[in-house]
Amino acid sequence: MLKVRNLKCYYGRIMAIKGVSLSVRQGELITIIGANGSGKSTLLQAICGLLPGWEGEILFEEEQIKGLDPPAIVNRGICLVPEGRLIFGPLSVMDNLKLGAYTMYRKKRHDRIEQDLSMIMELFPILKERSRQAAGTLSGGEQQMLAIGRALMARPRLLVLDEPSMGLAPLLVEKILETLVNLKEQGLTILLVEQNAQAALKISDRGYVLETGKMVLQGRSSDLLADVEVKRAYLGKDYDEFYEGE
Amino acid sequence: MCDMLLSRINPIRFAFFFLVIALVGLLVDNAYYQQVLILIGINTLLAVGLNMLMGYAGQISLGHAAFYGIGAYTTAILTAKYQIYPWIALVIAILLAVAIAVVVGLPTLKLSGYYLGMGTLGFGMIFNIIFREWSSLTGGASGFVGIPSLSIGSLSFESGRNYFYLVWFSVWSVFLICSRIINSRAGRALRSIHDSENASMAVGVDTMTLKLQVFVLSAAFSALAGFLYAHYISFISPGSFDFLMSVRMVTMVVIGGMASIWGALLGASLLTLLPEWLHAFSEFEMVVYGLVLMLVMILMPQGLTRGILDIYERSREKYRK
Ligand SMILES: Nc1ncnc2c1ncn2[C@@H]1O[C@H](COP(=O)(O)OP(=O)(O)OP(=O)(O)O)[C@@H](O)[C@H]1O
Ligand SMILES: [Mg+2]
């Protein structure tokens, strides 16, 4: 479904992504893990058209997406839940969700929008309660749900999430990840970037490990979870008891 | 909540506004008051267009007097020099303003913040120089005289009352258009750009196109205002469309209250009335004028609309206790 080949991204003269390749197949849930500053967000931004001037190849459903602007990419079916959520604070929860369907309105699919709205309200009941409230007044977790809901409103075929668990309590992280599993079961393809490597790898099919702009490891999630290197660097297994309390 | 009250399209409010216009037109007989009201209407047209750009899309323009001037000079030249029917001149004036807005907007709207301010400032100055220096066409610094008055068939707009109706029903229509836009999908997208352009793009809003469309729309309204001004005053000069005028337009938007079409009406009224009231202060006029603006901003940092609503709400709470 998504193929990235030898991608290079630059910020001025700094090369933030140094030739990365990855693939996501239909129906998969893929996790990318990596330390701070390894280039995860940069990679996602390139895929979603938010970063101009990258080199290499990105194919979505066998078609090049180079040169497309973000709206066109949303139209093709890729939707990003950005890092730090980036919901529209002064606007109401409902307006935020409707903005997610911006491209749907353009296609005049009003029937679908109503349907999707009730689907999302069902998925996150709290959003229904708060639908008229300004989105900026929601709690962090509620904002994250809103950000995911907003992305789903565009009916993506590939949902891209940049650290959805950032700043959330463990219980909420679990709930968000559970939601992702549910969405995957309904047939959505998901590309997930996470710091919370252990939890993310547990729910995903395959994983990639990014390090200073290069893919250093990839494989089935279960293999990555067992890999000694990954354990030491990203899963904090040496401090197992301390983090997991197991 | 109040923001929603202010922007939700409301047929009752528009019917009421219509009635007020009709009544005021009937009741005001004094030629001086008619003139002041007409000028308030023209300034409201300027402010409401700019408010769409500043208050909703969050983009500043310090050169909008240029579009005002383009509207005024185009119709002046076409009707007085070439005897073109004024209503056709109006269409041409608006089309010209739209075309120039596209050409100017495409590169400048890529900028943001101070840089957009500087870009539009430069554009406004260039047009003021054109109005001033292209004397063979515009009459240069001494101005352009002999702009004909308006009429439709046998209905003449020469009288103050008729012109009042012409201007204010234009305002009414423009308000209706704006509130339709604000409450549509596009309005929601505009407010999202104001909040965060990046996030807006991420959900699939074509921010550049939308900003350009609003820029063009506000240019068209300014050109309409210029047309109405030129045919009312029958004499125009570059001084009416200079940098200070652009600043005055921005001030009307900020003082009235951003992101509220009724705020544009308040801001335009205050800025038109203030100089009239302050004549009594003769040479201190400008000082008092500045002081009043400062006081409004200090006491009501969100503009008159919000400020008055706040006072209203507070007094209601007191009344309840
Ligand atoms: N706008 C920018 N200008 C210059 N350098 C940037 C910019 N954005 C990111 N970088 C650099 O690119 C590298 C990768 O950044 P990126 O945001 O992709 O990291 P990340 O893996 O998402 O990190 P985190 O886990 O902290 O979110 C970093 O070294 C960062 O400093
Ligand atoms: Mg990041």
Side-chain angles (χ1 to χ4, degrees), chain A residues 81-87 124 126-127 130 133-148 163-169 172-173 176:
Chain A
V81 179
E83 184 172 24
R85 311 189 248 281
L86 296 183
I87 50 149
F124 303 115
I126 189 79
L127 295 184
R130 302 289 156 88
Q133 196 172 319
T137 61
L138 296 181
S139 80
E142 290 160 359
Q143 289 188 12
Q144 188 63 58
M145 293 178 208
L146 177 58
I148 295 174
E163 300 196 31
S165 73
M166 203 198 323
L168 301 187
L172 257 175
V173 174
I176 298 268

PDB file of all heavy atoms in Angstrom, chain A residues 81-87 124 126-127 130 133-148 163-169 172-173 176:
ATOM      1  N   VAL A  81      -2.309  12.105  12.202  1.00  0.00           N
ATOM      2  CA  VAL A  81      -2.594  12.645  13.530  1.00  0.00           C
ATOM      3  C   VAL A  81      -1.269  13.218  14.005  1.00  0.00           C
ATOM      4  O   VAL A  81      -0.381  12.487  14.393  1.00  0.00           O
ATOM      5  CB  VAL A  81      -3.075  11.547  14.499  1.00  0.00           C
ATOM      6  CG1 VAL A  81      -3.341  12.127  15.871  1.00  0.00           C
ATOM      7  CG2 VAL A  81      -4.314  10.875  13.956  1.00  0.00           C
ATOM      8  N   PRO A  82      -1.128  14.528  13.930  1.00  0.00           N
ATOM      9  CA  PRO A  82       0.214  15.105  14.103  1.00  0.00           C
ATOM     10  C   PRO A  82       0.727  15.003  15.542  1.00  0.00           C
ATOM     11  O   PRO A  82      -0.041  14.835  16.489  1.00  0.00           O
ATOM     12  CB  PRO A  82       0.040  16.567  13.700  1.00  0.00           C
ATOM     13  CG  PRO A  82      -1.389  16.801  13.449  1.00  0.00           C
ATOM     14  CD  PRO A  82      -2.149  15.563  13.705  1.00  0.00           C
ATOM     15  N   GLU A  83       2.042  15.120  15.641  1.00  0.00           N
ATOM     16  CA  GLU A  83       2.691  15.134  16.950  1.00  0.00           C
ATOM     17  C   GLU A  83       2.158  16.341  17.727  1.00  0.00           C
ATOM     18  O   GLU A  83       1.993  17.422  17.188  1.00  0.00           O
ATOM     19  CB  GLU A  83       4.195  15.284  16.739  1.00  0.00           C
ATOM     20  CG  GLU A  83       5.002  15.208  17.999  1.00  0.00           C
ATOM     21  CD  GLU A  83       6.497  15.156  17.681  1.00  0.00           C
ATOM     22  OE1 GLU A  83       6.906  15.610  16.598  1.00  0.00           O
ATOM     23  OE2 GLU A  83       7.243  14.649  18.516  1.00  0.00           O
ATOM     24  N   GLY A  84       1.880  16.134  19.007  1.00  0.00           N
ATOM     25  CA  GLY A  84       1.350  17.252  19.796  1.00  0.00           C
ATOM     26  C   GLY A  84      -0.079  17.585  19.441  1.00  0.00           C
ATOM     27  O   GLY A  84      -0.580  18.652  19.779  1.00  0.00           O
ATOM     28  N   ARG A  85      -0.723  16.684  18.706  1.00  0.00           N
ATOM     29  CA  ARG A  85      -2.175  16.739  18.437  1.00  0.00           C
ATOM     30  C   ARG A  85      -2.602  17.838  17.479  1.00  0.00           C
ATOM     31  O   ARG A  85      -3.329  17.599  16.541  1.00  0.00           O
ATOM     32  CB  ARG A  85      -2.979  16.832  19.731  1.00  0.00           C
ATOM     33  CG  ARG A  85      -2.530  15.797  20.743  1.00  0.00           C
ATOM     34  CD  ARG A  85      -3.438  15.737  21.900  1.00  0.00           C
ATOM     35  NE  ARG A  85      -2.835  16.206  23.120  1.00  0.00           N
ATOM     36  CZ  ARG A  85      -2.016  15.502  23.864  1.00  0.00           C
ATOM     37  NH1 ARG A  85      -1.668  14.290  23.483  1.00  0.00           N
ATOM     38  NH2 ARG A  85      -1.530  15.973  24.975  1.00  0.00           N
ATOM     39  N   LEU A  86      -2.166  19.099  17.766  1.00  0.00           N
ATOM     40  CA  LEU A  86      -2.518  20.206  16.889  1.00  0.00           C
ATOM     41  C   LEU A  86      -4.010  20.287  16.564  1.00  0.00           C
ATOM     42  O   LEU A  86      -4.395  20.420  15.421  1.00  0.00           O
ATOM     43  CB  LEU A  86      -1.726  20.128  15.569  1.00  0.00           C
ATOM     44  CG  LEU A  86      -0.229  20.284  15.682  1.00  0.00           C
ATOM     45  CD1 LEU A  86       0.404  20.265  14.303  1.00  0.00           C
ATOM     46  CD2 LEU A  86       0.122  21.602  16.357  1.00  0.00           C
ATOM     47  N   ILE A  87      -4.826  20.165  17.568  1.00  0.00           N
ATOM     48  CA  ILE A  87      -6.233  20.424  17.352  1.00  0.00           C
ATOM     49  C   ILE A  87      -6.433  21.938  17.303  1.00  0.00           C
ATOM     50  O   ILE A  87      -5.543  22.690  17.687  1.00  0.00           O
ATOM     51  CB  ILE A  87      -7.103  19.830  18.476  1.00  0.00           C
ATOM     52  CG1 ILE A  87      -6.534  20.278  19.811  1.00  0.00           C
ATOM     53  CG2 ILE A  87      -7.133  18.319  18.410  1.00  0.00           C
ATOM     54  CD1 ILE A  87      -7.560  20.435  20.840  1.00  0.00           C
ATOM     55  N   PHE A 124     -15.696   7.491  20.829  1.00  0.00           N
ATOM     56  CA  PHE A 124     -15.246   8.326  21.946  1.00  0.00           C
ATOM     57  C   PHE A 124     -16.444   9.097  22.513  1.00  0.00           C
ATOM     58  O   PHE A 124     -16.660  10.264  22.144  1.00  0.00           O
ATOM     59  CB  PHE A 124     -14.188   9.325  21.494  1.00  0.00           C
ATOM     60  CG  PHE A 124     -12.990   8.706  20.851  1.00  0.00           C
ATOM     61  CD1 PHE A 124     -12.710   8.956  19.515  1.00  0.00           C
ATOM     62  CD2 PHE A 124     -12.124   7.886  21.570  1.00  0.00           C
ATOM     63  CE1 PHE A 124     -11.588   8.409  18.906  1.00  0.00           C
ATOM     64  CE2 PHE A 124     -11.009   7.337  20.966  1.00  0.00           C
ATOM     65  CZ  PHE A 124     -10.742   7.589  19.632  1.00  0.00           C
ATOM     66  N   ILE A 126     -16.997  10.690  25.066  1.00  0.00           N
ATOM     67  CA  ILE A 126     -16.713  11.959  25.731  1.00  0.00           C
ATOM     68  C   ILE A 126     -16.811  13.122  24.742  1.00  0.00           C
ATOM     69  O   ILE A 126     -17.189  14.229  25.097  1.00  0.00           O
ATOM     70  CB  ILE A 126     -15.312  11.909  26.400  1.00  0.00           C
ATOM     71  CG1 ILE A 126     -15.087  13.124  27.275  1.00  0.00           C
ATOM     72  CG2 ILE A 126     -14.213  11.838  25.374  1.00  0.00           C
ATOM     73  CD1 ILE A 126     -15.760  13.036  28.595  1.00  0.00           C
ATOM     74  N   LEU A 127     -16.478  12.851  23.482  1.00  0.00           N
ATOM     75  CA  LEU A 127     -16.521  13.912  22.477  1.00  0.00           C
ATOM     76  C   LEU A 127     -17.951  14.374  22.228  1.00  0.00           C
ATOM     77  O   LEU A 127     -18.194  15.526  21.890  1.00  0.00           O
ATOM     78  CB  LEU A 127     -15.894  13.437  21.167  1.00  0.00           C
ATOM     79  CG  LEU A 127     -14.412  13.110  21.212  1.00  0.00           C
ATOM     80  CD1 LEU A 127     -13.904  12.752  19.831  1.00  0.00           C
ATOM     81  CD2 LEU A 127     -13.600  14.272  21.771  1.00  0.00           C
ATOM     82  N   ARG A 130     -18.874  16.743  24.949  1.00  0.00           N
ATOM     83  CA  ARG A 130     -18.186  18.036  24.871  1.00  0.00           C
ATOM     84  C   ARG A 130     -18.316  18.699  23.519  1.00  0.00           C
ATOM     85  O   ARG A 130     -17.541  19.593  23.222  1.00  0.00           O
ATOM     86  CB  ARG A 130     -16.683  17.801  25.152  1.00  0.00           C
ATOM     87  CG  ARG A 130     -16.393  17.173  26.471  1.00  0.00           C
ATOM     88  CD  ARG A 130     -16.652  18.170  27.585  1.00  0.00           C
ATOM     89  NE  ARG A 130     -16.925  17.502  28.837  1.00  0.00           N
ATOM     90  CZ  ARG A 130     -16.001  17.125  29.701  1.00  0.00           C
ATOM     91  NH1 ARG A 130     -14.749  17.346  29.449  1.00  0.00           N
ATOM     92  NH2 ARG A 130     -16.343  16.517  30.814  1.00  0.00           N
ATOM     93  N   GLN A 133     -18.069  22.420  23.245  1.00  0.00           N
ATOM     94  CA  GLN A 133     -17.018  23.073  24.032  1.00  0.00           C
ATOM     95  C   GLN A 133     -15.824  23.400  23.134  1.00  0.00           C
ATOM     96  O   GLN A 133     -15.569  22.692  22.161  1.00  0.00           O
ATOM     97  CB  GLN A 133     -16.609  22.087  25.117  1.00  0.00           C
ATOM     98  CG  GLN A 133     -15.821  22.664  26.249  1.00  0.00           C
ATOM     99  CD  GLN A 133     -15.660  21.620  27.350  1.00  0.00           C
ATOM    100  OE1 GLN A 133     -16.588  20.879  27.667  1.00  0.00           O
ATOM    101  NE2 GLN A 133     -14.473  21.531  27.900  1.00  0.00           N
ATOM    102  N   ALA A 134     -15.086  24.463  23.469  1.00  0.00           N
ATOM    103  CA  ALA A 134     -13.876  24.770  22.709  1.00  0.00           C
ATOM    104  C   ALA A 134     -12.865  23.648  22.910  1.00  0.00           C
ATOM    105  O   ALA A 134     -12.641  23.194  24.028  1.00  0.00           O
ATOM    106  CB  ALA A 134     -13.285  26.094  23.175  1.00  0.00           C
ATOM    107  N   ALA A 135     -12.274  23.201  21.808  1.00  0.00           N
ATOM    108  CA  ALA A 135     -11.397  22.038  21.868  1.00  0.00           C
ATOM    109  C   ALA A 135     -10.194  22.273  22.781  1.00  0.00           C
ATOM    110  O   ALA A 135      -9.679  21.338  23.395  1.00  0.00           O
ATOM    111  CB  ALA A 135     -10.929  21.667  20.471  1.00  0.00           C
ATOM    112  N   GLY A 136      -9.764  23.529  22.885  1.00  0.00           N
ATOM    113  CA  GLY A 136      -8.603  23.840  23.712  1.00  0.00           C
ATOM    114  C   GLY A 136      -8.834  23.581  25.183  1.00  0.00           C
ATOM    115  O   GLY A 136      -7.882  23.472  25.965  1.00  0.00           O
ATOM    116  N   THR A 137     -10.096  23.479  25.598  1.00  0.00           N
ATOM    117  CA  THR A 137     -10.381  23.267  27.018  1.00  0.00           C
ATOM    118  C   THR A 137     -10.493  21.785  27.365  1.00  0.00           C
ATOM    119  O   THR A 137     -10.717  21.439  28.518  1.00  0.00           O
ATOM    120  CB  THR A 137     -11.694  23.967  27.422  1.00  0.00           C
ATOM    121  OG1 THR A 137     -12.752  23.392  26.653  1.00  0.00           O
ATOM    122  CG2 THR A 137     -11.644  25.450  27.152  1.00  0.00           C
ATOM    123  N   LEU A 138     -10.311  20.913  26.395  1.00  0.00           N
ATOM    124  CA  LEU A 138     -10.337  19.476  26.693  1.00  0.00           C
ATOM    125  C   LEU A 138      -9.059  19.064  27.405  1.00  0.00           C
ATOM    126  O   LEU A 138      -8.034  19.726  27.294  1.00  0.00           O
ATOM    127  CB  LEU A 138     -10.456  18.668  25.396  1.00  0.00           C
ATOM    128  CG  LEU A 138     -11.723  18.820  24.564  1.00  0.00           C
ATOM    129  CD1 LEU A 138     -11.634  17.919  23.344  1.00  0.00           C
ATOM    130  CD2 LEU A 138     -12.941  18.473  25.382  1.00  0.00           C
ATOM    131  N   SER A 139      -9.120  17.953  28.114  1.00  0.00           N
ATOM    132  CA  SER A 139      -7.900  17.430  28.742  1.00  0.00           C
ATOM    133  C   SER A 139      -7.013  16.828  27.651  1.00  0.00           C
ATOM    134  O   SER A 139      -7.450  16.622  26.523  1.00  0.00           O
ATOM    135  CB  SER A 139      -8.262  16.352  29.741  1.00  0.00           C
ATOM    136  OG  SER A 139      -8.501  15.132  29.070  1.00  0.00           O
ATOM    137  N   GLY A 140      -5.777  16.551  28.011  1.00  0.00           N
ATOM    138  CA  GLY A 140      -4.818  16.023  27.037  1.00  0.00           C
ATOM    139  C   GLY A 140      -5.319  14.762  26.353  1.00  0.00           C
ATOM    140  O   GLY A 140      -5.219  14.617  25.136  1.00  0.00           O
ATOM    141  N   GLY A 141      -5.858  13.866  27.147  1.00  0.00           N
ATOM    142  CA  GLY A 141      -6.342  12.609  26.587  1.00  0.00           C
ATOM    143  C   GLY A 141      -7.524  12.820  25.664  1.00  0.00           C
ATOM    144  O   GLY A 141      -7.601  12.235  24.583  1.00  0.00           O
ATOM    145  N   GLU A 142      -8.423  13.697  26.090  1.00  0.00           N
ATOM    146  CA  GLU A 142      -9.592  13.986  25.248  1.00  0.00           C
ATOM    147  C   GLU A 142      -9.162  14.637  23.933  1.00  0.00           C
ATOM    148  O   GLU A 142      -9.709  14.351  22.873  1.00  0.00           O
ATOM    149  CB  GLU A 142     -10.555  14.912  26.007  1.00  0.00           C
ATOM    150  CG  GLU A 142     -11.260  14.244  27.166  1.00  0.00           C
ATOM    151  CD  GLU A 142     -11.820  15.231  28.190  1.00  0.00           C
ATOM    152  OE1 GLU A 142     -11.655  16.449  28.022  1.00  0.00           O
ATOM    153  OE2 GLU A 142     -12.400  14.760  29.182  1.00  0.00           O
ATOM    154  N   GLN A 143      -8.141  15.494  24.043  1.00  0.00           N
ATOM    155  CA  GLN A 143      -7.643  16.141  22.827  1.00  0.00           C
ATOM    156  C   GLN A 143      -7.072  15.111  21.858  1.00  0.00           C
ATOM    157  O   GLN A 143      -7.229  15.213  20.650  1.00  0.00           O
ATOM    158  CB  GLN A 143      -6.574  17.172  23.170  1.00  0.00           C
ATOM    159  CG  GLN A 143      -7.147  18.388  23.861  1.00  0.00           C
ATOM    160  CD  GLN A 143      -6.131  19.504  24.022  1.00  0.00           C
ATOM    161  OE1 GLN A 143      -5.065  19.475  23.434  1.00  0.00           O
ATOM    162  NE2 GLN A 143      -6.479  20.488  24.819  1.00  0.00           N
ATOM    163  N   GLN A 144      -6.386  14.109  22.435  1.00  0.00           N
ATOM    164  CA  GLN A 144      -5.821  13.077  21.573  1.00  0.00           C
ATOM    165  C   GLN A 144      -6.931  12.287  20.879  1.00  0.00           C
ATOM    166  O   GLN A 144      -6.839  11.969  19.706  1.00  0.00           O
ATOM    167  CB  GLN A 144      -4.938  12.125  22.386  1.00  0.00           C
ATOM    168  CG  GLN A 144      -4.166  11.145  21.527  1.00  0.00           C
ATOM    169  CD  GLN A 144      -3.198  11.852  20.602  1.00  0.00           C
ATOM    170  OE1 GLN A 144      -2.324  12.590  21.050  1.00  0.00           O
ATOM    171  NE2 GLN A 144      -3.356  11.669  19.316  1.00  0.00           N
ATOM    172  N   MET A 145      -7.986  12.001  21.620  1.00  0.00           N
ATOM    173  CA  MET A 145      -9.116  11.302  21.003  1.00  0.00           C
ATOM    174  C   MET A 145      -9.715  12.154  19.897  1.00  0.00           C
ATOM    175  O   MET A 145     -10.061  11.658  18.826  1.00  0.00           O
ATOM    176  CB  MET A 145     -10.196  11.010  22.050  1.00  0.00           C
ATOM    177  CG  MET A 145      -9.748  10.008  23.093  1.00  0.00           C
ATOM    178  SD  MET A 145     -11.060   9.764  24.300  1.00  0.00           S
ATOM    179  CE  MET A 145     -10.106   9.331  25.737  1.00  0.00           C
ATOM    180  N   LEU A 146      -9.812  13.436  20.176  1.00  0.00           N
ATOM    181  CA  LEU A 146     -10.353  14.350  19.165  1.00  0.00           C
ATOM    182  C   LEU A 146      -9.464  14.344  17.924  1.00  0.00           C
ATOM    183  O   LEU A 146      -9.954  14.300  16.794  1.00  0.00           O
ATOM    184  CB  LEU A 146     -10.460  15.769  19.740  1.00  0.00           C
ATOM    185  CG  LEU A 146     -10.949  16.833  18.774  1.00  0.00           C
ATOM    186  CD1 LEU A 146     -12.315  16.482  18.214  1.00  0.00           C
ATOM    187  CD2 LEU A 146     -11.001  18.194  19.438  1.00  0.00           C
ATOM    188  N   ALA A 147      -8.146  14.374  18.143  1.00  0.00           N
ATOM    189  CA  ALA A 147      -7.222  14.391  17.006  1.00  0.00           C
ATOM    190  C   ALA A 147      -7.380  13.127  16.165  1.00  0.00           C
ATOM    191  O   ALA A 147      -7.376  13.183  14.933  1.00  0.00           O
ATOM    192  CB  ALA A 147      -5.784  14.525  17.498  1.00  0.00           C
ATOM    193  N   ILE A 148      -7.548  11.996  16.828  1.00  0.00           N
ATOM    194  CA  ILE A 148      -7.744  10.747  16.084  1.00  0.00           C
ATOM    195  C   ILE A 148      -9.093  10.781  15.377  1.00  0.00           C
ATOM    196  O   ILE A 148      -9.208  10.434  14.201  1.00  0.00           O
ATOM    197  CB  ILE A 148      -7.642   9.532  17.030  1.00  0.00           C
ATOM    198  CG1 ILE A 148      -6.221   9.428  17.581  1.00  0.00           C
ATOM    199  CG2 ILE A 148      -8.027   8.257  16.289  1.00  0.00           C
ATOM    200  CD1 ILE A 148      -6.039   8.353  18.634  1.00  0.00           C
ATOM    201  N   GLU A 163       3.207   9.699  17.668  1.00  0.00           N
ATOM    202  CA  GLU A 163       3.235   9.648  19.132  1.00  0.00           C
ATOM    203  C   GLU A 163       1.898   9.990  19.789  1.00  0.00           C
ATOM    204  O   GLU A 163       1.786  10.967  20.534  1.00  0.00           O
ATOM    205  CB  GLU A 163       4.317  10.595  19.666  1.00  0.00           C
ATOM    206  CG  GLU A 163       5.679  10.200  19.142  1.00  0.00           C
ATOM    207  CD  GLU A 163       6.812  10.834  19.924  1.00  0.00           C
ATOM    208  OE1 GLU A 163       6.637  11.061  21.136  1.00  0.00           O
ATOM    209  OE2 GLU A 163       7.851  11.082  19.322  1.00  0.00           O
ATOM    210  N   PRO A 164       0.889   9.174  19.528  1.00  0.00           N
ATOM    211  CA  PRO A 164      -0.417   9.477  20.130  1.00  0.00           C
ATOM    212  C   PRO A 164      -0.431   9.342  21.648  1.00  0.00           C
ATOM    213  O   PRO A 164      -1.328   9.880  22.291  1.00  0.00           O
ATOM    214  CB  PRO A 164      -1.345   8.437  19.484  1.00  0.00           C
ATOM    215  CG  PRO A 164      -0.460   7.351  19.022  1.00  0.00           C
ATOM    216  CD  PRO A 164       0.848   7.982  18.670  1.00  0.00           C
ATOM    217  N   SER A 165       0.551   8.674  22.212  1.00  0.00           N
ATOM    218  CA  SER A 165       0.504   8.459  23.663  1.00  0.00           C
ATOM    219  C   SER A 165       1.244   9.540  24.432  1.00  0.00           C
ATOM    220  O   SER A 165       1.330   9.500  25.651  1.00  0.00           O
ATOM    221  CB  SER A 165       1.090   7.105  24.007  1.00  0.00           C
ATOM    222  OG  SER A 165       2.487   7.144  23.865  1.00  0.00           O
ATOM    223  N   MET A 166       1.780  10.532  23.698  1.00  0.00           N
ATOM    224  CA  MET A 166       2.601  11.537  24.361  1.00  0.00           C
ATOM    225  C   MET A 166       1.839  12.233  25.494  1.00  0.00           C
ATOM    226  O   MET A 166       0.760  12.777  25.284  1.00  0.00           O
ATOM    227  CB  MET A 166       3.076  12.584  23.368  1.00  0.00           C
ATOM    228  CG  MET A 166       4.313  13.276  23.870  1.00  0.00           C
ATOM    229  SD  MET A 166       4.710  14.830  23.118  1.00  0.00           S
ATOM    230  CE  MET A 166       4.317  14.744  21.462  1.00  0.00           C
ATOM    231  N   GLY A 167       2.415  12.190  26.667  1.00  0.00           N
ATOM    232  CA  GLY A 167       1.835  12.924  27.787  1.00  0.00           C
ATOM    233  C   GLY A 167       0.566  12.337  28.367  1.00  0.00           C
ATOM    234  O   GLY A 167      -0.152  13.027  29.068  1.00  0.00           O
ATOM    235  N   LEU A 168       0.267  11.088  28.069  1.00  0.00           N
ATOM    236  CA  LEU A 168      -0.955  10.493  28.588  1.00  0.00           C
ATOM    237  C   LEU A 168      -0.652   9.482  29.697  1.00  0.00           C
ATOM    238  O   LEU A 168       0.392   8.838  29.700  1.00  0.00           O
ATOM    239  CB  LEU A 168      -1.735   9.786  27.479  1.00  0.00           C
ATOM    240  CG  LEU A 168      -2.161  10.646  26.297  1.00  0.00           C
ATOM    241  CD1 LEU A 168      -3.066   9.853  25.379  1.00  0.00           C
ATOM    242  CD2 LEU A 168      -2.851  11.906  26.753  1.00  0.00           C
ATOM    243  N   ALA A 169      -1.594   9.332  30.610  1.00  0.00           N
ATOM    244  CA  ALA A 169      -1.448   8.345  31.669  1.00  0.00           C
ATOM    245  C   ALA A 169      -1.539   6.943  31.076  1.00  0.00           C
ATOM    246  O   ALA A 169      -2.190   6.743  30.062  1.00  0.00           O
ATOM    247  CB  ALA A 169      -2.554   8.546  32.699  1.00  0.00           C
ATOM    248  N   LEU A 172      -4.808   5.596  29.766  1.00  0.00           N
ATOM    249  CA  LEU A 172      -5.299   6.215  28.534  1.00  0.00           C
ATOM    250  C   LEU A 172      -4.516   5.712  27.332  1.00  0.00           C
ATOM    251  O   LEU A 172      -5.072   5.487  26.263  1.00  0.00           O
ATOM    252  CB  LEU A 172      -5.167   7.729  28.637  1.00  0.00           C
ATOM    253  CG  LEU A 172      -6.466   8.453  28.928  1.00  0.00           C
ATOM    254  CD1 LEU A 172      -6.220   9.919  29.134  1.00  0.00           C
ATOM    255  CD2 LEU A 172      -7.437   8.242  27.772  1.00  0.00           C
ATOM    256  N   VAL A 173      -3.202   5.538  27.534  1.00  0.00           N
ATOM    257  CA  VAL A 173      -2.370   5.010  26.454  1.00  0.00           C
ATOM    258  C   VAL A 173      -2.947   3.683  26.010  1.00  0.00           C
ATOM    259  O   VAL A 173      -3.116   3.416  24.814  1.00  0.00           O
ATOM    260  CB  VAL A 173      -0.921   4.808  26.936  1.00  0.00           C
ATOM    261  CG1 VAL A 173      -0.093   4.132  25.857  1.00  0.00           C
ATOM    262  CG2 VAL A 173      -0.318   6.137  27.324  1.00  0.00           C
ATOM    263  N   ILE A 176      -6.078   4.197  23.994  1.00  0.00           N
ATOM    264  CA  ILE A 176      -5.812   4.677  22.635  1.00  0.00           C
ATOM    265  C   ILE A 176      -5.303   3.535  21.762  1.00  0.00           C
ATOM    266  O   ILE A 176      -5.757   3.339  20.636  1.00  0.00           O
ATOM    267  CB  ILE A 176      -4.766   5.821  22.679  1.00  0.00           C
ATOM    268  CG1 ILE A 176      -5.311   7.001  23.477  1.00  0.00           C
ATOM    269  CG2 ILE A 176      -4.336   6.226  21.284  1.00  0.00           C
ATOM    270  CD1 ILE A 176      -6.022   8.051  22.718  1.00  0.00           C
TER     271      ILE A 176
END
